[in-house]
Amino acid sequence: MNSNQTEHINRIIAELKTGSFLTKQKRNAEQYLRHFYLEENEEFLSYHQSEKFFSQAHRYYIKDIDEVRIGFHTLIFDGLVKQQIVDSHKENLAFSIFYNNYRDELHLMANDAETRNVWISGLQYLIVRCAQNQQQRHTIRDTNWILSQLRFADKDKSSTMDRAECQHLLVNSLNVQLAEDVFENLFNVEAANKNADGHLTSDEFFDFFQNLTQREDLFELMQKFVENGDEQSIDTIFMNVNELLHFLQTVQKQKIMVYSSKDNFTIESIATREQALKLIEEYELEVELKEQKLLSLDGFRNLLLSDEFSIMKPWCSRHPYQDMTRPLSDYYINASHNTYLFNNQIYGDSNPEAYNRALRAGCRVLEIDCYDGDDGQPIVTHGHTFVRSCSFESIIRLIQPNMFKTSPYPVILSIENHCSIKQQKEMARILREILGNQLLTQSPYIKHSWLLPSPEDLKYKVLIRSTKQSTCESFENADSVDPSDLFIYLENVPYREYDYSKEHYNCCQSSSLSENQCERICQSDPMGLIKQTHTYLLRMYPNGLRQDSSNPNPIIGWNFGLQMVALNYQSDDRSMQLCYGKFLDNGSCGYVLKPNYLLQIEKSKFNPLNYSIKSLNSKDIFDCPVRLTITIISGQFFDRTSEDSDDIPDPYVVVSTHGIPCDQQTQKTNFIENNGFNPNWNETFQFDIQFPQMCLLRFDVCDYDIYSHDDHLAYFCLPVLTIQPGSSFFARF
């Protein structure tokens, strides 16, 4: 930002700290006038408590905020306006805050538009800054974050920390239990407790933390590539330009993205001293060392933990790079099941924010279960359960602004239609009215009419997938919208064996399979199932008995080429985590191209259940096997399983591969006792992968427990072929 922008945002932040009177709007029509303010250290916003006994103000942490939405575009405000509790002409005073992954909401009205705009601008700035700091925290030593730990542990508010407070912080916040002599050494070294008075000032605590977090693992790595490395200490070791270039070329084999514009880039190997020098200038924080063209241990750490050096190739995660001009049937598509739910399948609300959460996570297929409403307006709910309904119109209107924020490629509304013809016509009217030109109402021009259009053909378009029903009934309004006009592609038809579908179905039709049905067909007719995915979009959905919103293993459907493996986004279970990993690829756009041996099945004869047989005349279709050699070096800052737990983690790492059966492998490290802060493993594993295009690599950090089931602390998952080759890459959990 330039100086004027900086001055402007500083004024806004200062206003937020002073605070404003805002009215909280509740679902039950209650209203509360509260003085909201931004906390001094800019970590959360809160409000002054009411005078009620035992009342306690809520803290809304900036890091937990998902979105700040302007106006009345929420379900709560929508209802309050319709009930005339809120004046419809005061939309310029309203804004809403969504947090906790869209599960919680705060709806506010300001006294004037200027105040509302100050809060919106300030919060949006803080959210972006917080996200940037979260990324950089792995890269630089974040002074504000370190000092926030001091404020948290400073129970007597003396702005210093004694031994007890420091030990309490280590055990209860940073999950590290140091031996008494090790702690005393760190606490009493001259660089930390300079006055030897048993208390650390903020500056001394910063030095204490620096000593505590010194990276012995990276020091040992760095020693191997600098001259006389064995003679250097952790404080004096530096890498010059030539040493860094040698490391990047011969060990790391690093490639970088070079941008010619915002969206245009080339991928280049690091080959010159100028490139290495540029990295020193970017990642070394000490000005004197930059001037001497030297990289310190901290600078080396910053470089290795940057996005450019992450375990996933940045050009795979940041941009769609695959061919997006092939038919839709050639892609895996990120799909959700019963998207309107936040909880289990039995009770809760049908909530448009559950759709916004899924869209934000990269989902492109949204399921909507529609039923007749009592007032003539269709509703969305889970039939024959205690799930509370929401109007179909509210859902479409509130998700429309978010449909293409994360990806320009088509959104598919998979409508489970239980409505009468009359309310189907109302659904069609709503879709046309709200979505406008985004709604696909006629076929785009494509070269081959027997193939589906491509994601590129359908950019910024919404497709309707549903079942056609008879429209033989007569209506008073003969000019009303016919819902059959919206089924340009993806009419839902029953699944039939390959010979029948080849004879009777066309590319514009699509079938759904339950997970049990899919597993049976995978066993009984694997080739027929795969052949169908060459032309038609197939969808697999969870078994109806999964009332807890758990998910089937998506790998099964993907192995057989099913494009839409619909999962319950309500659950962050292992299956959902595999889905997140798969669709990190191709710029997280929600569409991932299938491997050639699934696209050219007549030639490849690929069968996931008979993977040892490869046709001699199709070797060019199959990818070459790869050998992964992975060393788990260390970890930092693993949280406890819950805030209420007193148990310091005993972490270990599970490394697993997920693909066709021959590529399903699991190995794990030993556990490190009582250290969630900076455990070191230095254990190496090897995986031979026969079909890397189909395979995901997954890391799980677990907490060993001798008496109970091991708890899950963190995970990271990515496709095998997106892994950067080299010596030292880091996965963020």
Side-chain angles (χ1 to χ4, degrees):
M1 291 190 294
N2 59 39
S3 58
N4 289 336
Q5 291 173 319
T6 301
E7 184 178 350
H8 175 68
I9 197 64
N10 286 342
R11 283 201 303 269
I12 287 178
I13 298 302
E15 286 189 51
L16 296 192
K17 289 181 179 180
T18 300
S20 312
F21 280 97
L22 303 172
T23 301
K24 289 175 62 178
Q25 303 285 347
K26 306 290 286 187
R27 180 195 294 270
N28 61 5
E30 292 182 353
Q31 299 176 330
Y32 303 92
L33 185 65
R34 296 287 184 266
H35 186 263
F36 280 81
Y37 63 93
L38 177 67
E39 178 258 351
E40 184 62 31
N41 295 302
E42 303 172 9
E43 294 180 2
F44 60 85
L45 61 126
S46 187
Y47 52 87
H48 294 295
Q49 300 179 26
S50 69
E51 295 180 357
K52 290 182 180 179
F53 198 63
F54 294 127
S55 68
Q56 187 172 2
H58 189 84
R59 290 182 174 184
Y60 305 91
Y61 284 89
I62 302 298
K63 65 181 178 62
D64 294 331
I65 297 178
D66 303 303
E67 180 186 348
V68 177
R69 192 176 301 168
I70 301 171
F72 288 155
H73 303 292
T74 71
L75 200 60
I76 302 299
F77 269 130
D78 189 50
L80 295 175
V81 171
K82 287 180 179 177
Q83 298 173 58
Q84 298 184 343
I85 294 169
V86 171
D87 187 343
S88 61
H89 297 96
K90 293 185 177 181
E91 186 170 11
N92 65 330
L93 306 181
F95 67 104
S96 299
I97 297 171
F98 294 89
Y99 59 101
N100 190 20
N101 210 354
Y102 281 92
R103 292 179 182 272
D104 296 301
E105 308 169 17
L106 173 64
H107 304 280
L108 300 168
M109 295 280 289
N111 291 329
D112 56 79
E114 182 179 357
T115 300
R116 195 270 310 252
N117 294 338
V118 165
W119 276 93
I120 290 170
S121 299
L123 288 174
Q124 289 176 339
Y125 166 78
L126 290 168
I127 291 167
V128 171
R129 190 185 69 179
C130 182
Q132 293 172 342
N133 288 345
Q134 288 284 66
Q135 293 175 343
Q136 293 173 349
R137 188 161 295 147
H138 299 275
T139 310
I140 63 174
R141 300 195 177 225
D142 188 332
T143 303
N144 289 333
W145 182 80
I146 295 172
L147 295 182
S148 72
Q149 301 302 307
L150 181 148
R151 292 192 297 271
F152 177 79
D154 181 17
K155 302 301 182 183
D156 60 5
K157 307 303 178 185
S158 64
S159 298
T160 64
M161 293 186 67
D162 59 24
R163 283 178 172 81
E165 289 173 330
C166 203
Q167 285 181 313
H168 186 271
L169 169 65
L170 293 182
V171 173
N172 292 281
S173 296
L174 301 179
N175 295 322
V176 59
Q177 184 165 301
L178 296 177
E180 190 66 27
D181 59 335
V182 175
F183 170 79
E184 286 296 328
N185 182 57
L186 285 171
F187 191 88
N188 291 317
V189 291
E190 183 179 348
N193 190 12
K194 298 180 176 64
N195 297 325
D197 60 357
H199 289 78
L200 301 182
T201 65
S202 58
D203 289 341
E204 290 173 337
F205 176 74
F206 185 83
D207 292 336
F208 169 85
F209 193 88
Q210 297 280 52
N211 290 327
L212 180 66
T213 56
Q214 285 182 328
R215 294 293 300 272
E216 292 283 350
D217 51 345
L218 297 186
F219 170 59
E220 293 174 5
L221 178 64
M222 199 172 178
Q223 282 182 304
K224 300 175 183 177
F225 302 102
V226 302
E227 186 176 0
N228 301 322
D230 293 340
E231 302 173 9
Q232 304 298 320
S233 72
I234 199 168
D235 296 315
T236 62
I237 193 166
F238 305 106
M239 185 178 279
N240 63 36
V241 177
N242 290 333
E243 290 165 342
L244 176 59
L245 181 61
H246 173 73
F247 170 75
L248 296 173
Q249 285 182 314
T250 62
V251 180
Q252 201 72 2
K253 300 179 177 62
Q254 183 69 25
K255 294 184 179 181
I256 56 175
M257 302 170 68
V258 179
Y259 286 88
S260 57
S261 65
K262 180 181 178 181
D263 297 317
N264 295 317
F265 62 91
T266 57
I267 301 169
E268 299 179 2
S269 298
I270 294 181
T272 66
R273 294 181 78 256
E274 288 72 21
Q275 290 171 310
L277 180 58
K278 186 176 180 181
L279 292 174
I280 292 177
E281 292 172 349
E282 182 174 359
Y283 295 110
E284 179 53 56
L285 301 182
E286 296 292 336
V287 176
E288 293 182 4
L289 294 178
K290 283 186 183 182
E291 293 174 350
Q292 299 176 56
K293 300 180 175 58
L294 295 175
L295 190 71
S296 67
L297 179 61
D298 273 350
F300 188 57
R301 171 184 182 270
N302 296 343
L303 181 146
L304 291 180
L305 288 176
S306 68
D307 285 340
E308 295 289 345
F309 286 75
S310 68
I311 191 172
M312 189 174 191
K313 299 170 183 174
W315 51 91
C316 294
S317 61
R318 295 181 190 173
H319 303 277
Y321 66 94
Q322 297 175 345
D323 182 0
M324 303 303 288
T325 64
R326 300 177 65 96
L328 282 179
S329 54
D330 287 0
Y331 299 85
Y332 297 113
I333 310 175
N334 195 341
S336 56
H337 174 252
N338 288 353
T339 322
Y340 47 87
L341 297 176
F342 262 134
N343 300 303
N344 61 36
Q345 306 290 305
I346 303 301
Y347 60 85
D349 293 332
S350 298
N351 195 326
E353 300 311 328
Y355 288 91
N356 286 325
R357 176 196 180 202
L359 286 166
R360 186 170 178 261
C363 185
R364 308 314 286 161
V365 183
L366 310 175
E367 186 174 32
I368 309 179
D369 291 3
C370 297
Y371 293 81
D372 280 358
D374 295 335
D375 59 354
Q377 292 296 310
I379 58 174
V380 176
T381 188
H382 197 195
H384 311 295
T385 68
F386 298 105
V387 171
R388 288 185 290 270
S389 66
C390 178
S391 76
F392 178 78
E393 180 178 4
S394 293
I395 293 229
I396 301 302
R397 183 157 42 81
L398 294 176
I399 69 174
Q400 183 273 333
N402 292 316
M403 283 183 168
F404 299 102
K405 283 186 177 179
T406 60
S407 171
Y409 295 110
V411 170
I412 299 171
L413 299 183
S414 185
I415 297 178
E416 185 176 300
N417 183 10
H418 300 276
C419 290
S420 63
I421 298 300
K422 188 172 183 178
Q423 293 204 21
Q424 285 183 55
K425 287 181 175 286
E426 187 62 15
M427 287 166 55
R429 180 195 65 77
I430 291 167
L431 289 167
R432 286 180 180 273
E433 185 177 291
I434 295 175
L435 299 180
N437 292 334
Q438 291 178 333
L439 184 65
L440 188 72
T441 57
Q442 60 182 7
S443 302
Y445 170 78
I446 54 176
K447 189 174 181 180
H448 302 294
S449 60
W450 63 89
L451 295 175
L452 286 166
S454 70
E456 191 67 27
D457 294 325
L458 298 171
K459 266 187 170 180
Y460 300 105
K461 290 296 182 183
V462 178
L463 283 67
I464 304 301
R465 179 183 185 273
S466 191
T467 304
K468 285 188 178 181
Q469 296 187 10
S470 169
T471 58
C472 60
E473 298 181 33
S474 60
F475 301 99
E476 294 180 6
N477 182 6
D479 296 326
S480 61
V481 180
D482 191 335
S484 298
D485 292 341
L486 301 184
F487 294 107
I488 309 302
Y489 296 107
L490 310 184
E491 176 196 357
N492 195 0
V493 295
Y495 180 84
R496 295 289 186 268
E497 67 278 0
Y498 174 66
D499 290 338
Y500 179 94
S501 63
K502 185 178 180 181
E503 182 69 24
H504 295 90
Y505 291 165
N506 60 56
C507 68
C508 297
Q509 295 171 308
S510 171
S511 299
S512 293
L513 300 166
S514 70
E515 61 174 287
N516 292 347
Q517 186 182 7
C518 182
E519 290 181 12
R520 288 196 301 269
I521 296 170
C522 288
Q523 295 292 328
S524 63
D525 186 24
M527 299 303 293
L529 181 60
I530 294 176
K531 286 179 180 179
Q532 290 210 43
T533 67
H534 177 68
T535 305
Y536 321 112
L537 256 64
L538 298 185
R539 173 178 174 269
M540 186 185 90
Y541 59 91
N543 191 310
L545 295 177
R546 293 185 179 271
Q547 297 179 356
D548 60 351
S549 290
S550 60
N551 284 301
N553 184 355
I555 298 293
I556 296 172
W558 292 332
N559 281 348
F560 288 85
L562 273 73
Q563 295 89 348
M564 300 180 290
V565 178
L567 299 179
N568 290 307
Y569 266 66
Q570 309 92 293
S571 298
D572 190 21
D573 57 14
R574 289 183 62 83
S575 295
M576 198 65 237
Q577 292 162 5
L578 291 173
C579 179
Y580 290 140
K582 187 173 188 67
F583 289 101
L584 276 180
D585 198 4
N586 204 27
S588 299
C589 74
Y591 287 80
V592 173
L593 193 62
K594 294 193 287 189
N596 283 332
Y597 39 89
L598 281 174
L599 300 179
Q600 302 181 45
I601 189 64
E602 294 292 348
K603 185 177 180 181
S604 70
K605 310 297 182 186
F606 172 70
N607 182 347
L609 303 181
N610 195 10
Y611 44 81
S612 62
I613 299 177
K614 293 184 179 181
S615 176
L616 293 177
N617 62 353
S618 62
K619 289 183 178 179
D620 58 318
I621 296 177
F622 289 95
D623 43 355
C624 296
V626 300
R627 172 168 290 178
L628 292 178
T629 302
I630 297 172
T631 299
I632 305 298
I633 302 173
S634 63
Q636 285 79 42
F637 305 116
F638 292 121
D639 291 329
R640 302 181 188 208
T641 53
S642 72
E643 293 182 359
D644 299 328
S645 173
D646 293 327
D647 183 41
I648 295 176
D650 306 314
Y652 64 93
V653 180
V654 180
V655 187
S656 55
T657 54
H658 304 261
I660 67 170
C662 69
D663 290 333
Q664 303 272 8
Q665 305 168 59
T666 300
Q667 301 183 58
K668 65 181 180 179
T669 69
N670 294 311
F671 69 88
I672 306 295
E673 188 172 2
N674 286 337
N675 190 351
F677 182 69
N678 60 352
N680 283 267
W681 292 281
N682 285 311
E683 297 185 43
T684 299
F685 308 105
Q686 187 170 285
F687 298 85
D688 289 316
I689 310 298
Q690 298 300 312
F691 294 88
Q693 285 190 68
M694 300 282 282
C695 193
L696 301 175
L697 176 68
R698 179 185 174 110
F699 302 91
D700 288 276
V701 183
C702 301
D703 178 15
Y704 174 77
D705 196 312
I706 192 172
Y707 298 112
S708 63
H709 181 73
D710 293 354
D711 292 312
H712 191 245
L713 300 178
Y715 81 95
F716 183 74
C717 181
L718 77 166
V720 163
L721 289 187
T722 67
I723 298 173
Q724 296 206 65
S727 171
S728 303
F729 290 105
F730 291 76
R732 295 178 186 166
F733 296 90

